[in-house]
Amino acid sequence: MSLQDVHDLELIVNSRIPIVVIESHEEDRILELFQRLAPRLGTPLYRWTATEGLHRLARDHTPQRHAAKPAELLAQIKATTLPGTYLLFDFHPYLADPIHVRYLKDIAQRYDTLRHTVVLVSHALDIPSELERYSARLSLKLPDADALRRLVAEEAAEWGRRHGGRKVRAGRDALEHLVRNLSGLTDSDARRVVRNAIYDDGSLSGEDLVRVIEAKRDILSPDGMLSLEYDTARFSEIGGLTNLKLWLDKRRVAFTEPHPPPGLDPPKGILLVGVQGCGKSLAAKAVAGLWGVPLLHLDLGALYNKFFGETERNVREVLRAAEAMAPCVLWIDEIEKGLSAGDYDSGTSRRVLGTLLTWMAENTASVFLVATANDISALPPELVRKGRLDEIFFVDLPEADVRRRIFEIHLAKRELDPERFDLDQLAQRTAGFSGAEIEQAVVSACYTAHAGNTRQPDTGLLLHEIGQTRPLSILMAERIEGLRAWASQRTVPAG
C-alpha cells in the first residue's frame, strides 16, 4: 500500500469533502486503504454492494441486507446521526436516478451536522453536475519501478515455492525491460501479467516481453481503439527520407534514455505530409523500429461515439493508455479524416481537437506522436502551426536514386536478384511514380510472368507494366503540384 495514497486520502477527508470519487478496478486495494486509515478517521467504516447490502466493517457486524436497494441505503445514511464513512461499490448505474442524486445532495449539504463521507467506487464514474461542487476525485498511485521489481521478485519466489525451490530464469536486462514495460499498470494487473509470463515456462525472455506488451495494451485499451503494431519496419527497408532519418537519429538518446543529457528536451512529435503512396505510413512505423519502442496505432474513426461527450472520453482514455505504455510511438494515420471541422458532428471534431491539443501541450510521458496527412488543407491551423509539433516533414515523389533503391527493395522482397535487372533504366522510366506505384509495377510483372509460364519477370516485362501505369502525378497533376508548392515554403523535405 502506497504511503502517498494514504496521505492523499487523509488530506481529502480532512478537507471535509462529503463525496469522494475513485475510478478504479482495484476494490481490494481501496478497501485495504480505508481500513488502514479508519482508526485515524475516528468514524465507523461501511461497505455497500447491490448483492450484499450494507456491512459495517467490524468483526461483530453482519451485512444488513435490508439496505441493498440504493434508495433504502441512501435514506438510511441520511437518517443516521452517527458519523460514518460509506464505501459504495459499483454505484455508477444508480446516479442516473434523480431520487438518488437528491439523496446524495441532501447528505452532502448536511455534512457539517451529519459528518458522513460517501465514497463512490467504480471503473468509470460520471458525477452529475449537481454533485460536482461537493465532490473530490482520488487517483490511486501506480507502482513505481522499485515496487514493480519487488512485485516481480514476489511472483518469482511464489513460483519457486510451487516448483520445488526452482529459480525463475531471467537475465538482468530482461528483468529491467520487464519492469519498464509494466509501468502504467495497477498492482493487481501487473501481478497478473507477470504471473502469466513466469508460469508459462519458468523464465523471462524476449518472447515474454512481447506478450507482456500485448497484455498491457489489452488491459489499457480493451475496446480496440489502440492497436499494437508488431511489424515495425526498419529504416533499411525505406528508400530515401535521409533528412527524416538524420533528424530522428539525433533525438534517439533524448527520447529513449531514462535520464537524457541536460539541455535536451524529449521530442514530442512530427507531422508527415505528402503525396499518397510515398512512404508516410511506412516511415511512421519505422520510427518505432529505429528507437526500439512499441508502436501504437490510433484509429480516430473508432473513437467517435453517437452519444454526446463519449467521443471526448474515448480520446482521453486512449491518450492515458498511451502514456501508460510509454516509452512508445503513437501513430495517427490520415489525421485529417478525424479532425476535419464540420457542422455535421455538432462540434465533436472541435472538442476532439481541443482535447488532443491540450494533451500535446501538457503531456510529460515519453509518447512520441507521429501523424500522417494527405490533405493538409483539411487540417485545422491550430495543429499545424509551429510549436504544437517539433517538425513538419514533406514526403515528396522519390528521385531517381531513391526509385532505384525502391526497386531493389521490392525485387529482393520477392526473392528476385536485383542485379539481373537494369535498375538505372527502370528508375529513369518511373519518373513521377510513387513508391507504392513502383511496388505495384513489380507485383504486376510477377503475375504476368506467372501467367505466361515464365519463372521470373525480367527488365522488359517490368518496363511493359510501367508503360501500362498512369501514376497519380499525372492523373492529379494540378493537385499534387499545388501540394508541393505549399510545402516548399512551410515544411522540411523528408528526403
Side-chain angles (χ1 to χ4, degrees), residues 45-114:
L45 181 63
Y46 299 86
R47 177 182 184 270
W48 178 89
T49 65
T51 55
E52 295 185 356
L54 189 65
H55 180 201
R56 181 172 176 179
L57 297 178
R59 294 180 180 178
D60 55 345
H61 288 80
T62 57
Q64 303 174 26
R65 299 192 181 278
H66 67 279
K69 294 184 178 180
E72 296 173 352
L73 162 75
L74 297 175
Q76 178 171 327
I77 295 175
K78 179 181 176 180
T80 301
T81 57
L82 179 67
T85 300
Y86 296 85
L87 304 181
L88 312 186
F89 289 94
D90 289 331
F91 202 80
H92 60 281
Y94 310 115
L95 293 176
D97 190 324
I99 299 298
H100 301 157
V101 174
R102 183 68 247 185
Y103 266 127
L104 286 168
K105 189 173 182 181
D106 288 342
I107 294 168
Q109 289 179 333
R110 299 180 187 182
Y111 180 83
D112 289 338
T113 55
L114 296 178

Side-chain angles (χ1 to χ4, degrees), residues 136-336:
R137 288 183 177 267
L138 173 66
S139 298
L140 299 182
K141 297 295 182 293
L142 296 172
D144 58 16
D146 289 337
L148 290 171
R149 289 189 190 95
R150 290 194 297 270
L151 182 151
V152 174
E154 290 169 2
E155 292 301 323
E158 177 62 23
W159 184 89
R161 284 191 291 270
R162 292 171 177 261
H163 293 80
R166 293 169 55 193
K167 291 187 177 181
V168 173
R169 301 185 305 276
R172 183 170 183 81
D173 289 342
L175 176 61
E176 288 304 312
H177 277 91
L178 176 64
V179 168
R180 189 173 186 180
N181 284 303
L182 290 173
S183 176
L185 293 180
T186 64
D187 183 278
S188 57
D189 285 336
R191 285 186 183 278
R192 186 167 67 254
V193 170
V194 171
R195 194 175 299 129
N196 289 339
I198 292 176
Y199 276 54
D200 180 33
D201 56 5
S203 67
L204 292 172
S205 63
E207 293 181 359
D208 290 316
L209 293 179
V210 173
R211 289 195 291 268
V212 165
I213 294 173
E214 184 176 18
K216 181 178 178 181
R217 188 280 317 268
D218 292 340
I219 290 170
L220 297 173
S221 183
D223 296 327
M225 292 180 288
L226 277 180
S227 60
L228 184 64
E229 299 284 336
Y230 295 99
D231 58 339
T232 51
R234 292 173 297 175
F235 258 47
S236 60
E237 298 174 347
I238 303 177
L241 304 182
T242 305
N243 289 337
L244 176 59
K245 296 175 188 177
L246 181 61
W247 189 93
L248 290 168
D249 194 53
K250 289 179 180 178
R251 288 157 179 79
R252 181 205 303 262
V253 172
F255 184 78
T256 59
E257 293 295 326
H259 305 290
L264 295 182
D265 295 334
K268 296 183 294 185
I270 57 175
L271 175 64
L272 301 173
V273 299
V275 183
Q276 290 184 359
C278 288
K280 297 187 299 298
S281 297
L282 188 59
K285 294 179 180 181
V287 175
L290 180 68
W291 285 349
V293 297
L295 174 65
L296 302 177
H297 182 203
L298 169 58
D299 181 2
L300 276 180
L303 297 178
Y304 281 77
N305 191 294
K306 64 181 179 180
F307 298 110
F308 183 82
E310 284 299 306
T311 299
E312 297 90 303
R313 172 192 284 275
N314 289 341
V315 174
R316 290 191 296 270
E317 289 181 352
V318 162
L319 294 176
R320 280 198 296 266
E323 291 176 1
M325 291 286 289
C328 65
V329 171
L330 179 62
W331 169 35
I332 306 179
D333 200 19
E334 297 186 352
I335 191 173
E336 73 272 22

Side-chain angles (χ1 to χ4, degrees), residues 460-486:
L461 194 52
L462 273 171
L463 290 173
H464 174 77
E465 295 297 338
I466 290 169
Q468 300 299 310
T469 303
R470 294 295 178 267
L472 199 64
S473 60
I474 293 177
L475 295 177
M476 304 185 68
E478 295 81 4
R479 185 171 180 179
I480 290 178
E481 284 304 315
L483 175 61
R484 297 170 84 177
W486 177 92

